[in-house]
Amino acid sequence: MPDILKTIEARDPVEKEFHQAVHEVIESVKPVLDRNPEYRHSAILERITEPERVIMFRVPWMDDQGMAHVNRGFRIEMNSSIGPYKGGLRFHPSVNLSILKFLAFEQVFKNALTTLSMGGGKGGSDFDPKGKSDNEVMRFCQSFMAELFRHIGPNTDIPAGDIGVGAREIGFLFGMYKKLRNEFTGVLTGKSLGWGGSLVRPEATGYGSVYFAAEMLATKEDNIEGKTCLVSGSGNVAQYTVEKLLDMGGKVVTLSDSSGFIYDEEGIDRDKLDYVKRLKNLRRGRIQEYIDKYSAAEYTEADSTLDHNPLWNHPADCAFPSATQNEINGKDADNLIRNGVKLVCEGANMPCTPEAIDRFLDQKLLYAPGKAANAGGVAVSGLEMAQNSMRLNWTREEVDERLQIIMKSIHQTCLDASAEYGDPGNYFIGANIAGFVKVVNAMLDQGLV
Ligand code: GLU
């Protein structure tokens, strides 16, 4: 194991997810380091793996019964060499420093790939919005922002949504920031359309992921038409992945949430998707309810005692993991391959374990890592920032066209980098190398800071 990994593991031994994300990048960029000895002399790996700043704070809030609670708030300001820190906020009980450092680290390279000027950051809290009333969520967001506002700004650090943070939370966070600063700026992205948001931002991650998949298929003179697809998750990314797959003639047979998954052999059509959107976005219900409405579908409860996730064990052509980290392990990867899957496109961040990635690369599947495939969300956040700066709004067609151009460009950049380093078509090393080189060159230009 390279020394740098040993040092990182010894320094923060419990940060498993962060080690995993760093390991993936460092392994891929070895040939780049060999070609560029100046990277080693300027301790570039040591610098790129150490956040520029980590902010941790107490978030006290009161529930509807008048009981006080305390959660932990975080913002990791990872790297600002190519632009202000940019990345989402995650509210989920699993959130800790390791998970946010891995997400912030990934975000640095993802943002570099978008072609826009954005550094990398990530934040959030171990607060669980599930089962909380709108008022409780509002009080939590206000308390969270009562500290975070000191550290962010439209030219400093621009948070957005992630798991557990959608339009509702962004609204409450923005309202508090505006009150405290007495400024109406584009300090957050993912805002609602009526007050500074961008068209296509809600759709962007899912659409972008499918645009990327279509680009990969086009290299084999193939397309989405008629492909059976497994999609996990049922939040923002999954919903718009399904929508774009339907637009392109694909068939989607699965969706999930943390309680379990549904398998609908007939396919999730537009009406069913509309039902899921209402269920998840308005009623904030569970995916299990899908089978009450569509009885031909099957529901399987999540079972953490299993060594695999049965969602990934169905016949299909493509898989779009769009739920969360490490949701596809080596066994799941074997199941996918055995079931005929030829394309895996990561809508979530780091959904495949290293064992799963090895299997996909061995089999020469079309495998797109999240930092390339799911970059459409943050890319349209960058477009939201541009529109806010100009105080103008682009049309849906204009934003969607820019998104498609960006996804095509990311795809090409990954292909070019993979070919330059002797493994054409390996999007995994292509994405890591291209993102890394862009960030590192900016860091070198700016001196030892
Ligand atoms: N949380 C999203 C991501 O993982 C979006 C971040 C943003 O829009 O800033 O890229």
Side-chain angles (χ1 to χ4, degrees):
M1 193 195 309
D3 287 350
I4 172 78
L5 285 171
K6 284 196 198 126
T7 312
I8 291 171
E9 293 190 8
R11 192 176 266 167
D12 299 300
V14 295
E15 295 182 355
K16 299 278 177 269
E17 293 83 2
F18 180 57
H19 302 158
Q20 182 183 338
V22 170
H23 205 288
E24 280 184 10
V25 171
I26 290 186
E27 286 295 323
S28 314
V29 301
K30 267 190 198 142
V32 185
L33 298 171
D34 294 341
R35 267 196 216 175
N36 299 279
E38 72 275 18
Y39 289 174
R40 285 218 165 91
H41 299 155
S42 42
I44 217 71
L45 292 181
E46 288 76 356
R47 286 158 66 196
I48 213 165
T49 51
E50 186 66 14
E52 289 179 17
R53 194 175 295 105
V54 173
I55 301 147
M56 277 176 70
F57 49 98
R58 177 171 68 200
V59 190
W61 59 279
M62 194 159 278
D63 68 22
D64 290 343
Q65 283 69 47
M67 273 290 285
H69 299 266
V70 175
N71 284 93
R72 191 170 274 180
F74 305 84
R75 186 72 183 163
I76 318 295
E77 295 184 335
M78 198 75 195
N79 194 301
S80 61
S81 59
I82 60 170
Y85 309 108
K86 179 83 195 89
L89 297 171
R90 178 176 289 191
F91 291 171
H92 191 269
S94 65
V95 161
N96 57 33
L97 205 48
S98 172
I99 288 188
L100 293 181
K101 278 175 69 180
F102 118 63
L103 289 164
F105 187 71
E106 291 270 304
Q107 198 81 42
V108 172
F109 306 104
K110 184 195 308 193
N111 294 3
L113 288 170
T114 63
T115 69
L116 304 173
S117 232
M118 298 183 289
K122 201 87 186 191
S125 174
D126 56 0
F127 174 75
D128 187 359
K130 202 159 49 184
K132 304 290 190 299
S133 70
D134 287 349
N135 279 327
E136 287 171 332
V137 170
M138 179 179 74
R139 285 194 293 274
F140 175 81
C141 289
Q142 291 179 336
S143 178
F144 186 85
M145 189 51 88
E147 175 57 38
L148 187 69
F149 87 102
R150 291 175 225 290
H151 310 285
I152 62 175
N155 295 310
T156 309
D157 184 350
I158 305 93
D162 195 81
I163 294 173
V165 178
R168 172 182 64 168
E169 290 75 15
I170 293 292
F172 295 147
L173 291 163
F174 183 83
M176 193 62 179
Y177 180 88
K178 180 166 63 73
K179 184 181 172 81
L180 292 168
R181 281 259 193 249
N182 194 25
E183 269 178 13
F184 195 113
T185 63
V187 65
L188 292 158
T189 60
K191 300 184 289 298
S192 289
L193 272 182
W195 44 275
S198 173
L199 285 159
V200 194
R201 177 61 191 89
E203 296 89 337
T205 312
Y207 280 17
S209 166
V210 179
Y211 292 147
F212 198 96
E215 287 296 314
M216 293 200 291
L217 287 167
T219 65
K220 309 271 179 221
E221 273 137 46
D222 201 354
N223 60 45
I224 300 281
E225 181 82 45
K227 297 274 184 298
T228 298
C229 305
L230 307 175
V231 177
S232 64
S234 50
N236 165 273
V237 180
Q239 290 170 17
Y240 289 105
T241 297
V242 177
E243 187 163 290
K244 191 48 74 181
L245 286 169
L246 292 176
D247 286 349
M248 293 189 178
K251 177 181 175 190
V252 180
V253 291
T254 57
L255 280 173
S256 69
D257 62 19
S258 55
S259 312
F261 75 90
I262 56 112
Y263 177 66
D264 186 343
E265 201 176 356
E266 290 169 3
I268 300 165
D269 62 16
R270 272 173 216 284
D271 287 343
K272 295 174 181 174
L273 176 61
D274 280 346
Y275 168 80
V276 172
K277 284 185 184 170
R278 284 195 305 277
L279 169 71
K280 283 287 164 182
N281 309 349
L282 301 176
R283 289 205 284 117
R284 298 180 193 279
R286 309 306 295 161
I287 199 71
Q288 176 168 16
E289 293 176 45
Y290 184 98
I291 57 161
D292 300 337
K293 177 114 175 111
Y294 304 107
S295 52
E298 295 159 23
Y299 175 73
T300 307
E301 214 166 282
D303 180 355
S304 59
T305 62
L306 291 178
D307 63 354
H308 68 287
N309 179 351
L311 185 155
W312 305 119
N313 202 5
H314 292 101
D317 306 296
C318 307
F320 290 84
S322 308
T324 195
Q325 65 272 0
N326 292 330
E327 52 170 317
I328 295 186
N329 63 21
K331 183 98 194 270
D332 297 317
D334 289 338
N335 287 338
L336 286 167
I337 293 164
R338 202 168 24 79
N339 277 298
V341 166
K342 296 277 181 295
L343 176 147
V344 179
C345 191
E346 295 188 342
N349 291 311
M350 208 168 76
C352 298
T353 63
E355 297 73 35
I357 296 172
D358 284 347
R359 307 274 211 289
F360 299 147
L361 296 179
D362 278 354
Q363 296 290 317
K364 299 227 177 292
L365 251 69
L366 291 171
Y367 162 66
K371 52 173 88 67
N374 73 38
V378 74
V380 174
S381 277
L383 301 180
E384 181 172 331
M385 288 161 66
Q387 293 169 80
N388 292 165
S389 300
M390 294 187 295
R391 299 188 191 280
L392 279 175
N393 293 312
W394 291 326
T395 62
R396 172 171 290 276
E397 290 69 31
E398 217 167 335
V399 180
D400 192 32
E401 197 182 316
R402 284 177 195 268
L403 171 62
Q404 292 185 48
I405 293 170
I406 290 171
M407 296 316 297
K408 265 186 201 290
S409 142
I410 299 174
H411 175 265
Q412 195 56 48
T413 302
C414 295
L415 269 190
D416 292 347
S418 69
E420 191 186 336
Y421 283 88
D423 197 353
N426 181 335
Y427 294 91
F428 176 72
I429 63 152
N432 284 333
I433 289 177
F436 179 81
V437 168
K438 180 165 181 191
V439 174
V440 162
N441 287 341
M443 289 171 76
L444 290 178
D445 289 346
Q446 293 168 23
L448 194 55
V449 288

